[in-house]
Amino acid sequence: LFKYYTLSLYCSCACIMRFFILAIVLLFVGLLSYQLKTHDQLRYNSLADRILHPFDTRLRYQIAEVDPRFGISQQELIELTQQAADLWQNASGQKLFVYDPDAQLKIHLVYDERQDSFNAFKKMETTLNTEQNKNQRVSENLNTSQAYLEQLHTSIQQRRVLIDAEYQSLNQQRLSWSRLEDSQGENRRRIDLQYQQLKEKSQQLKNDIDYFNQLNAQYNQQVEQYNHNIHRFNQNVTHAKQQFPAREFHKGVFMGQEIQIYQFENQDDLRLTLAHELGHALGLGHNSDPKALMYPMLGAQDLAHFQLQPSDLALLTAR
């Protein structure tokens, strides 16, 4: 009888233990299901993370190796990713992300021909902008020179008219006084002196005309060189458009288990690209506001001082 009761008690305890274990398992399964239902981003955390941190709803991420050709260190990328996460967290008032070196979700910077092509494009764009600015300065200088030459030409024409008028007046006076006085007469001497002064004016006018012609020749050479530069610039622009045709080109992609970033211009651009892909990791889609973070293309946003737009927060609230 004693053995019977002992065996029965043992069986009862085993049943209770199995029930207890089953209840715990069902509780955890229910909790994990509830987590996914209320926090879609947790599906990208590992099962171990969700079990070890059952009440932590933050999406865990880590930074994979960083190709040195990007010119950015892993620590800098960690800091930029944190800043990208802060864009969401500060605007929403929610703790959405946490850096974890053992996280399942990895962020990769993928260096390939896309970044090489983008670097070549930016280099050519910088060259073209420099050339355009130089041509603009030359154009402004040519406009100034043209205005000066026009002013100088007008002055020369006016002086020429005045000198011609003075010559005519002196010729008439000489003709009149030659009938009354000989060459030693007082009025004849006065007229001859005025003739001498007028000759000096004429010589100065001739010198100024020569100077004007010299400046005008230099101006024409500069215009010819400017036109040549403009022609070369237009050829370079055409070549750039052929080599780098306009196209929609995404800078990164969210793939569930990883985020790949394969193009960025600078750290501000990279920060916003990371924030955009983290938005996808939260389960958000795109919206139609060109200034929003979740717009399909990054370009119209204020990269250096970006703030989440109402359309971004509306997506987060709907999720």
Side-chain angles (χ1 to χ4, degrees), residues 81-98:
T81 307
Q82 181 59 58
Q83 294 170 15
D86 287 343
L87 286 175
W88 288 106
Q89 296 177 159
N90 293 339
S92 65
Q94 303 177 46
K95 294 181 178 180
L96 301 171
F97 305 97
V98 60

Side-chain angles (χ1 to χ4, degrees), residues 30-290:
L31 178 60
L32 295 178
S33 298
Y34 178 77
Q35 285 179 339
L36 293 181
K37 185 176 181 180
T38 57
H39 300 86
D40 186 69
Q41 72 272 16
L42 292 181
R43 71 179 62 252
Y44 307 117
N45 286 351
S46 67
L47 181 61
D49 285 334
R50 292 164 58 197
I51 293 174
L52 292 174
H53 310 282
F55 301 105
D56 189 347
T57 60
R58 296 175 297 178
L59 175 60
R60 297 177 176 273
Y61 66 88
Q62 65 161 296
I63 304 299
E65 298 79 10
V66 178
D67 192 310
R69 288 176 292 179
F70 280 110
I72 185 172
S73 68
Q74 188 175 43
Q75 183 57 41
E76 287 176 316
L77 183 56
I78 291 174
E79 293 174 0
L80 283 172
T81 307
Q82 181 59 58
Q83 294 170 15
D86 287 343
L87 286 175
W88 288 106
Q89 296 177 159
N90 293 339
S92 65
Q94 303 177 46
K95 294 181 178 180
L96 301 171
F97 305 97
V98 60
Y99 174 75
D100 182 347
D102 299 318
Q104 178 173 276
L105 176 62
K106 296 182 179 181
I107 296 176
H108 295 265
L109 295 188
V110 180
Y111 195 101
D112 56 20
E113 73 282 353
R114 291 169 290 193
Q115 185 68 35
D116 276 335
S117 177
F118 181 72
N119 290 341
F121 165 74
K122 294 306 294 184
K123 183 177 181 180
M124 178 169 284
E125 184 181 52
T126 299
T127 300
L128 289 175
N129 287 337
T130 300
E131 189 174 348
Q132 185 179 37
N133 292 335
K134 181 180 178 180
N135 289 337
Q136 180 63 34
R137 290 194 298 270
V138 171
S139 177
E140 293 171 357
N141 291 336
L142 287 176
N143 289 336
T144 301
S145 297
Q146 182 182 22
Y148 174 71
L149 287 172
E150 290 175 351
Q151 182 181 6
L152 185 59
H153 181 264
T154 300
S155 174
I156 287 174
Q157 290 295 97
Q158 291 173 348
R159 289 164 61 195
R160 176 180 285 169
V161 170
L162 290 175
I163 288 175
D164 288 343
E166 287 185 45
Y167 265 119
Q168 292 179 5
S169 176
L170 286 177
N171 285 335
Q172 291 176 356
Q173 291 182 48
R174 172 179 279 183
L175 182 62
S176 299
W177 285 105
S178 64
R179 299 188 185 123
L180 302 175
E181 297 179 351
D182 58 22
S183 60
Q184 300 301 317
E186 178 181 353
N187 289 299
R188 292 283 300 276
R189 291 198 306 273
R190 176 180 58 80
I191 293 173
D192 288 341
L193 178 60
Q194 290 179 347
Y195 259 116
Q196 184 60 36
Q197 293 173 344
L198 192 56
K199 286 181 180 180
E200 293 176 357
K201 286 183 179 181
S202 297
Q203 183 60 46
Q204 183 60 50
L205 177 62
K206 182 179 181 303
N207 293 340
D208 290 345
I209 291 175
D210 291 340
Y211 175 67
F212 169 80
N213 290 334
Q214 180 182 357
L215 290 181
N216 194 57
Q218 293 176 354
Y219 170 78
N220 290 333
Q221 290 178 353
Q222 292 171 351
V223 169
E224 184 179 356
Q225 182 62 47
Y226 170 76
N227 291 333
H228 173 74
N229 292 340
I230 290 297
H231 178 69
R232 184 182 61 187
F233 172 77
N234 290 335
Q235 285 182 324
N236 291 337
V237 170
T238 300
H239 175 68
K241 289 180 178 179
Q242 293 172 348
Q243 186 176 357
F244 305 103
R247 58 188 175 127
E248 286 195 1
F249 188 71
H250 298 284
K251 301 178 181 182
V253 60
F254 170 67
M255 304 171 64
Q257 298 302 316
E258 63 181 42
I259 291 174
Q260 290 187 1
I261 308 295
Y262 40 77
Q263 177 188 301
F264 60 90
E265 181 175 353
N266 49 42
Q267 290 196 357
D268 289 334
D269 187 23
L270 176 56
R271 181 188 302 109
L272 227 61
T273 303
L274 288 165
H276 179 94
E277 299 308 328
L278 287 175
H280 286 314
L282 290 174
L284 308 184
H286 290 140
N287 62 35
S288 59
D289 181 2

